[in-house]
Amino acid sequence: MATLHPWPDRTLSSNKRRVIQELVEGKKCAAELQIIVDQEHSQQGSSAEELVQKILTSFDQTISMLTFDHEVSQNQDDCRSQESSEGSKGPAAVSKERRGCYKRKRGAETWTVLSDNMEDCHAWRKYGQKNILNSKHPRSYFRCKHKCNQGCRAVKQVQRIEDDDSQMYHITYIGTHTCRDSSPHDMVPSNNSGVAFKKHHSSPFDGLSSTLKHESEEEMTPSDVSELNSVTMWEDVVLGGGCGFESGYGDVVSDMYSCNEVCCLNLEPVGLENGFQFDDTEFV
DNA sequence: ATCATTTGACCGTC
DNA sequence: GACGGTCAAATGAT
């Protein structure tokens, strides 16, 4: 199995990574089992079906805990160091020094959406706005509200499209949510959100995999293709696509299905760049 | 008082 | 050097 994973962490210990890979494999098998069980037990709520559901839930939560735990601990360290430095130097001095001191999120997975609605199920906080060259409308920058307390690195950029008549927005999502949003809305199964989004055994990306863009200029190699298969499989796990509920991991896409409904007109998962790995040093 | 948004400065990439 | 992305003080809203 390819060793690519969308969580932004190269420092994850190899053991932990292997554990997660094994869990991903396990969940994949459980998802296949669920399909078989569904076929053989057509009536809803059979005990076998419930059992498989529990297995899938268990896999999801375990994977989430493993990755979440690591990231939170890392980000808590970040916050602490920030606080301590501010405390020692005084706010004014630090703010001048740190201003604009960042590393760009290059290589993070991104996907774009054309929507008439800026809203989605996540809590975003605007952190900037820029006028873009040759664009009539400014681009707004949002980051996940839980960046500070949970270290969620998801960001999105929203820009109204050029066409004056339409109220459509071009929304670019960068990175997946690693937060566990405390809002009740996010905790309920996505297929309980009043949307005709059938419980599925495959990722929401599956039907879109043909539009999966490899942002690299290079031609895709067979290994790239296999990586993409792994990507969809992983997304099946982290996006909660396998069982229709979301534990808080990387749920942007499923949210766009469940919450924005048909306003999601054009979903383009893109940017699975070479190696599909985040460089943690780019997230300082 | 607290939280969110605006806005100009700063930095990385091309 | 231009442009885009991010930071954080200032400001506004509740």
Side-chain angles (χ1 to χ4, degrees):
Chain A
M1 188 176 132
T3 58
L4 79 175
H5 42 73
W7 65 87
D9 200 340
R10 198 173 274 171
T11 63
L12 206 62
S13 74
S14 58
N15 278 345
K16 207 172 202 179
R17 214 175 288 181
R18 283 197 61 190
V19 169
I20 294 170
Q21 282 171 8
E22 290 299 323
L23 287 167
V24 168
E25 276 299 315
K27 197 212 155 175
K28 190 182 175 186
C29 295
E32 286 169 9
L33 180 62
Q34 190 179 40
I35 295 170
I36 296 166
V37 168
D38 279 354
Q39 285 167 351
E40 293 182 357
H41 302 266
S42 53
Q43 75 273 25
Q44 288 288 319
S46 73
S47 57
E49 203 173 357
E50 282 175 17
L51 195 60
V52 175
Q53 194 65 55
K54 280 182 185 172
I55 294 168
L56 284 166
T57 304
S58 181
F59 274 120
D60 274 333
Q61 288 180 346
T62 311
I63 292 164
S64 295
M65 280 188 274
L66 277 168
T67 50
F68 176 75
D69 177 60
H70 182 83
E71 290 201 359
V72 166
S73 62
Q74 268 204 323
N75 282 286
Q76 281 172 340
D77 289 346
D78 290 348
C79 287
R80 273 198 296 275
S81 61
Q82 208 173 338
E83 279 171 18
S84 62
S85 64
E86 281 177 13
S88 61
K89 283 177 142 187
V94 171
S95 66
K96 288 275 182 188
E97 269 182 30
R98 290 182 56 84
R99 198 158 189 178
C101 184
Y102 70 96
K103 296 268 182 131
R104 191 165 294 179
K105 291 174 183 171
R106 194 184 45 181
E109 53 185 318
T110 67
W111 53 93
T112 61
V113 173
L114 196 61
S115 170
D116 60 356
N117 186 1
M118 275 196 257
E119 305 299 318
D120 55 43
C121 287
H122 285 280
W124 298 97
R125 179 167 179 167
K126 189 173 182 177
Y127 66 86
Q129 180 172 305
K130 282 290 272 190
N131 288 318
I132 302 301
L133 196 70
N134 299 325
S135 293
K136 291 176 192 170
H137 309 291
R139 180 177 299 166
S140 297
Y141 300 88
F142 298 85
R143 62 178 168 228
C144 179
K145 212 174 179 179
H146 303 292
K147 185 196 176 188
C148 207
N149 57 357
Q150 294 184 30
C152 180
R153 290 162 172 164
V155 298
K156 73 171 178 180
Q157 301 173 358
V158 177
Q159 188 169 14
R160 234 182 99 176
I161 64 172
E162 293 298 302
D163 185 358
D164 274 332
D165 298 332
S166 75
Q167 291 281 331
M168 302 294 289
Y169 298 93
H170 194 257
I171 305 174
T172 303
Y173 292 89
I174 303 167
T176 55
H177 283 272
T178 57
C179 60
R180 293 168 177 270
D181 199 319
S182 56
S183 71
H185 185 87
D186 280 1
M187 300 306 287
V188 300
S190 58
N191 53 350
N192 280 354
S193 57
V195 179
F197 188 47
K198 195 173 182 294
K199 182 170 79 175
H200 47 274
H201 305 286
S202 56
S203 163
F205 270 27
D206 282 358
L208 298 155
S209 50
S210 61
T211 64
L212 202 60
K213 280 188 186 170
H214 199 269
E215 279 199 329
S216 165
E217 307 262 327
E218 299 158 19
E219 290 288 321
M220 287 185 66
T221 63
S223 67
D224 290 324
V225 175
S226 70
E227 284 184 353
L228 289 180
N229 290 337
S230 301
V231 168
T232 39
M233 189 192 77
W234 171 255
E235 284 158 352
D236 193 19
V237 175
V238 296
L239 301 179
C243 45
F245 66 87
E246 180 48 52
S247 57
Y249 253 87
D251 41 354
V252 175
V253 173
S254 58
D255 280 345
M256 286 189 288
Y257 273 85
S258 61
C259 303
N260 279 355
E261 301 181 49
V262 289
C263 71
C264 172
L265 300 176
N266 178 25
L267 183 65
E268 291 181 296
V270 296
L272 307 173
E273 292 193 354
N274 297 338
F276 194 59
Q277 287 209 355
F278 289 80
D279 186 344
D280 223 25
T281 61
E282 293 173 353
F283 286 83
V284 176

